[in-house]
Amino acid sequence: MPETRETAVYTHGHHESVLRSHTWRTAANSAAYLLPSLKPHMKVLDIGCGPGTITADLAELVHDGHVTAVDHAPGVLERARATAAERGLANVDFAVADVHALDYPDDTFCVVHAHQVLQHVGDPVRALSEMRRVTRPGGFVAVRDADYAAMTWYPAAPGLDGWLDLYERVSRANGGEPDAGRRLRSWALRAGFDAADVTATSATWTFATPDERAWWSDLWADRTLASAYADRATGGGHATEGELRAVSRAWREWGEREDGWFSVLHGEILCRKQA
C-alpha cells in the first residue's frame, strides 16, 4: 500500500477553550469500553493524546507496562509531558506522529487507542490499517469518536441548529468527517478486521446540571469566537464574524436554561487482531 500522509486540518486547534474540554477527559469518561481489556503488563500506543489526561490514566492502569503517547501537534505534547510529570509517571514517553504512517514496526503494541481522532484525519481507513499493523496478534485497536449529527439537546434552539450545520461544513472542508462515530465499524472492516473481531458499542456524555451546562456552553461559546475553528469558519467563507457571534450567544442562552440538556453520542469499536 502506498504511503499516505496527513492531509486533513485539525478543525479545533489548541486554544484554551479546546484544551478546557480535552483536559476534562479521563479513561473513565472517555475509554470505559476499553478498560476491561487492559492488563497491568501491556504496552499501549495512545494516538492523538492531546494534553495527556487519558494517557496518564492508561499509564497508571498498565503500571507494569508502558504507554507511548503521540500527537500530530508538537506543542500540545508539552502539556502531556507536564501532566505525566505532575502525576509522577515513569512508564510513558511522547512523540510526534502521523497516524497514516506510524513510525513503529509491525506487531509492536498490545493496545492501540485513539479518542476523537478519526473524525479529523484525511484517510480514516488508512489510519486504522496502520493501527492494526502495529498491534500485536491477539491485541486490540480501540477507537472512540463523537457523531455530531447524532448530538441532541433540549430545548429547541435555532442558534444551535445553525452551530451544528456550520461545524459540519467547516469540518468537512478541512478534510474530516464529523459524523465519524457511526462509521467506525465500517471503516474497521475496510481496514482489514474480520467482522467477528469488531465489537461496536456506543456511549454518551450528558450535560444537564447547572455546572455541566455552564461548562459545556461556555467552552463552545468561547471556541466559536476565539479558536482555530473560528478562524477556519471565517477564513473559509463558511460564516461571518457576526454569524459566529450569534452562534456564541445561542450557546450562552442555552446554558442559562434551567431545563437545558445536551447529549453527545459516541461510536466505539474494540477490534481484536487475529493471532
Side-chain angles (χ1 to χ4, degrees), residues 4-9 100 118-125 174-176:
T4 301
R5 292 284 177 179
E6 178 62 90
T7 56
V9 175
H100 296 99
L118 294 192
Q119 64 187 279
H120 298 297
V121 306
D123 188 343
V125 173
N174 288 338

Side-chain angles (χ1 to χ4, degrees), residues 75-111:
V76 78
L77 289 175
E78 294 307 311
R79 288 287 300 269
R81 290 187 179 96
T83 298
E86 289 164 5
R87 292 171 62 167
L89 297 169
N91 65 330
V92 58
D93 68 291
F94 301 89
V96 176
D98 175 2
V99 68
H100 296 99
L102 294 169
D103 192 22
Y104 299 102
D106 295 357
D107 307 337
T108 297
F109 300 96
C110 305
V111 173

Side-chain angles (χ1 to χ4, degrees), residues 1 6 15 28 32-33 35 47 52-53 69 83 124 130 149 171-172 174 184 187 201-202 212 224 228 257 261:
M1 182 181 295
E6 178 62 90
H15 183 265
Y33 72 104
L35 302 189
I47 294 174
T53 51
T83 298
E130 274 292 271
S171 178
R172 291 192 172 109
N174 288 338
L184 295 181
W187 288 342
T201 55
S202 62
E212 290 167 349
T224 298
R257 288 290 302 256
W261 177 92

Side-chain angles (χ1 to χ4, degrees), residues 204-234:
T204 61
W205 292 333
T206 301
F207 305 100
T209 70
D211 286 346
E212 290 167 349
R213 290 196 314 272
W215 179 79
W216 184 244
S217 61
D218 285 351
L219 72 84
W220 269 106
D222 291 344
R223 190 182 302 190
T224 298
L225 295 179
S227 69
Y229 160 65
D231 294 337
R232 287 160 186 149
T234 55

Side-chain angles (χ1 to χ4, degrees), residues 137-156:
F140 296 96
V141 171
V143 176
R144 186 177 194 249
D145 267 275
D147 193 295
Y148 275 75
M151 294 183 189
T152 191
W153 56 86
Y154 185 86

Side-chain angles (χ1 to χ4, degrees), residues 9-163:
V9 175
Y10 180 46
T11 296
H12 298 288
H14 293 95
H15 183 265
E16 182 278 331
S17 60
V18 178
L19 294 180
R20 198 185 314 164
S21 171
H22 292 184
T23 55
W24 167 81
R25 298 172 184 173
T26 65
N29 68 29
S30 299
Y33 72 104
L34 166 63
L35 302 189
S37 299
L38 291 180
K39 307 298 179 187
H41 68 277
M42 283 181 161
K43 186 175 183 179
V44 178
L45 176 64
D46 188 23
I47 294 174
C49 67
T53 51
I54 297 175
T55 302
D57 286 350
L58 295 176
E60 289 179 346
L61 291 167
V62 297
H63 47 80
D64 296 329
H66 190 86
V67 176
T68 295
V70 301
D71 202 282
H72 193 58
V76 78
L77 289 175
E78 294 307 311
R79 288 287 300 269
R81 290 187 179 96
T83 298
E86 289 164 5
R87 292 171 62 167
L89 297 169
N91 65 330
V92 58
D93 68 291
F94 301 89
V96 176
D98 175 2
V99 68
H100 296 99
L102 294 169
D103 192 22
Y104 299 102
D106 295 357
D107 307 337
T108 297
F109 300 96
C110 305
V111 173
V112 179
H113 168 261
H115 183 262
Q116 312 289 28
V117 172
L118 294 192
Q119 64 187 279
H120 298 297
V121 306
D123 188 343
V125 173
R126 171 66 188 184
L128 278 164
S129 295
E130 274 292 271
M131 294 168 73
R132 180 175 180 271
R133 178 184 66 78
V134 302
T135 301
R136 294 174 180 172
F140 296 96
V141 171
V143 176
R144 186 177 194 249
D145 267 275
D147 193 295
Y148 275 75
M151 294 183 189
T152 191
W153 56 86
Y154 185 86
L160 294 192
D161 291 338
W163 158 75

